Amino acid sequence: MKPVHFFKEGEKEMDYKFYGWNHGDVPAINREYGENWTPCKLYDVLSGIWCQYTCAPRLRDKWSEENKTAGQCSITAFLAQDIFGGKVYGIPLPGGNTHCYNVVNGCVFDLTSEQFGEEKLNYENNPEQLREVHFAKEEKRLRYEFLKNELKKHLAGSKGKNIKMTDKTPEKTLVSRGLTALVGEPLYEIWGNLCALIEDKYDMERIWGKGGKAWTYEYKYRRGGKTLCALYARENAIGFMIIFGKHEREKFEQMRGDFSEKVQNIYDEAKTYHDGKWVMFEPVEPELFEDFMKLLAIKRRGNRKGLRGRESDIAERGDSV
């Protein structure tokens, strides 16, 4: 299939390779998302939003920046239906799975078809898909809500890649719910307990972000442009990372005997890069929490003046949902 060429703002040429690009000028019927939407414009915006979290859990190991549409079909198709109307249909796939696409007034388009490469899909005589059935799965509904809210943030002029937990935003709760679904209740409890320990000692800016290739989420503690530490999450796994600069490594060596043998071994095995020694603890074990706090003290002394109520901290992280 040859791509069609459209010209965007500033005479920038864009290639569209998704199935049905020739119907890329289907008009929007829902003004909630603004005017002048087309499938091609929606594809442009979603290309900057699709991420490992919005990907279906079973396909997250296949998702990458080069394969952005992997695992995005149903939530994307139903979001497109919100904007353009029409119906969502599903192509039966091996293993009992379904690939969703849109049909609007006889025009077929599939914004996430590129994940199949050169494989030819059959877009005829497929069963209609109902959002009530798909969104009966809580994790899928949450991914759809996240995608929809990220689109609205784009319309509001926010780049929206990082979410500050101090902001009173709907996305905060959505990410919190998604995190529980992603790692499971037991690991989320460990996550919450570690966060509570850190927040008892440190008053920091807390920022959600993408976790790169290895992780779905990053949850970073920062102050004054400097990072104290970060927690990471992916399906059924969490991690805790501290990066030690040169002087901090010298302090660790002076205190080495104060740490457990396990922490010493993990520290010694960590790689050192130009910006420091990246020490990742995975899995995160509660018995190491005391050592974690001593490691953080090497980075920075606690700056919290008086403890806030634990209920306030929990509410701010969204754990009460």
Side-chain angles (χ1 to χ4, degrees):
M1 180 186 299
K2 295 182 179 179
V4 66
H5 299 285
F6 285 85
F7 287 91
K8 297 296 181 184
E9 296 179 4
E11 300 298 320
K12 182 180 179 181
E13 186 179 274
M14 300 291 293
D15 289 345
Y16 296 102
K17 301 178 183 178
F18 64 84
Y19 184 90
W21 49 257
N22 51 314
H23 297 141
D25 58 352
V26 171
I29 63 169
N30 185 347
R31 301 308 180 193
E32 177 185 356
Y33 298 88
E35 300 181 357
N36 302 319
W37 279 99
T38 65
C40 286
K41 181 179 178 181
L42 181 60
Y43 176 90
D44 289 341
V45 176
L46 292 182
S47 291
I49 298 175
W50 286 319
C51 61
Q52 196 172 31
Y53 170 63
T54 57
C55 177
R58 64 184 177 82
L59 293 174
R60 281 182 178 142
D61 61 337
K62 296 182 179 180
W63 189 91
S64 69
E65 289 291 336
E66 293 71 37
N67 190 21
K68 289 184 177 182
T69 62
Q72 312 285 344
C73 72
S74 59
I75 62 173
T76 298
F78 287 117
L79 181 56
Q81 185 184 47
D82 292 342
I83 297 172
F84 304 107
K87 294 184 177 181
V88 174
Y89 291 89
I91 301 171
L93 300 175
N97 297 306
T98 302
H99 176 71
C100 295
Y101 62 96
N102 296 85
V103 179
V104 180
N105 296 326
C107 297
V108 180
F109 61 92
D110 180 358
L111 298 179
T112 63
S113 62
E114 289 170 277
Q115 63 186 296
F116 295 97
E118 297 300 319
E119 180 181 350
K120 295 185 180 297
L121 300 178
N122 179 15
Y123 290 94
E124 297 182 357
N125 302 317
N126 292 311
E128 183 179 354
Q129 304 296 301
L130 302 177
R131 65 179 60 213
E132 293 82 4
V133 176
H134 280 263
F135 295 161
K137 293 182 178 180
E138 180 72 356
E139 66 83 16
K140 184 179 289 190
R141 185 187 67 80
L142 290 172
R143 288 189 291 114
Y144 160 79
E145 293 287 350
F146 183 85
L147 190 71
K148 181 171 69 173
N149 277 278
E150 286 292 297
L151 177 62
K152 289 182 177 180
K153 283 170 63 178
H154 173 85
L155 297 178
S158 170
K159 295 183 179 179
K161 290 304 180 185
N162 294 324
I163 303 170
K164 296 182 181 180
M165 293 302 285
T166 52
D167 293 343
K168 304 301 181 183
T169 56
E171 289 87 346
K172 179 183 65 178
T173 299
L174 292 171
V175 172
S176 179
R177 288 179 175 177
L179 181 62
T180 307
L182 181 66
V183 304
E185 289 286 352
L187 287 179
Y188 188 65
E189 182 178 359
I190 294 173
W191 175 290
N193 290 338
L194 179 55
C195 288
L197 280 176
I198 296 171
E199 291 157 24
D200 278 346
K201 295 288 186 182
Y202 296 93
D203 183 13
M204 312 289 285
E205 181 181 22
R206 290 163 279 166
I207 302 174
W208 283 105
K210 286 186 177 182
K213 292 183 178 180
W215 298 91
T216 305
Y217 279 140
E218 176 187 67
Y219 185 42
K220 187 180 295 184
Y221 286 85
R222 289 176 62 85
R223 188 178 181 88
K226 295 183 178 180
T227 298
L228 175 70
C229 62
L231 282 79
Y232 293 87
R234 60 170 177 257
E235 190 168 11
N236 299 320
I238 61 175
F240 176 62
M241 177 180 280
I242 307 174
I243 299 176
F244 295 91
K246 180 181 178 181
H247 296 301
E248 294 157 353
R249 297 197 296 273
E250 293 173 354
K251 290 181 182 179
F252 176 86
E253 293 302 334
Q254 295 171 6
M255 299 174 57
R256 176 179 284 271
D258 295 339
F259 296 97
S260 66
E261 183 178 350
K262 187 164 191 176
V263 166
Q264 291 183 49
N265 290 337
I266 293 173
Y267 177 90
D268 291 339
E269 293 171 2
K271 292 184 178 180
T272 301
Y273 300 94
H274 71 281
D275 57 347
K277 190 176 186 70
W278 292 35
V279 183
M280 171 68 81
F281 296 91
E282 180 200 353
V284 176
E285 302 176 57
E287 56 266 30
L288 299 182
F289 281 6
E290 184 177 348
D291 278 357
F292 289 171
M293 299 311 295
K294 287 188 287 187
L295 290 172
L296 291 179
I298 292 176
K299 291 279 296 182
R300 183 177 187 138
R301 295 176 60 183
N303 63 345
R304 173 147 290 193
K305 298 179 181 179
L307 300 180
R308 289 184 299 178
R310 182 60 52 85
E311 290 183 359
S312 175
D313 284 335
I314 290 175
E316 206 165 49
R317 287 197 303 276
D319 298 7
S320 59
V321 177

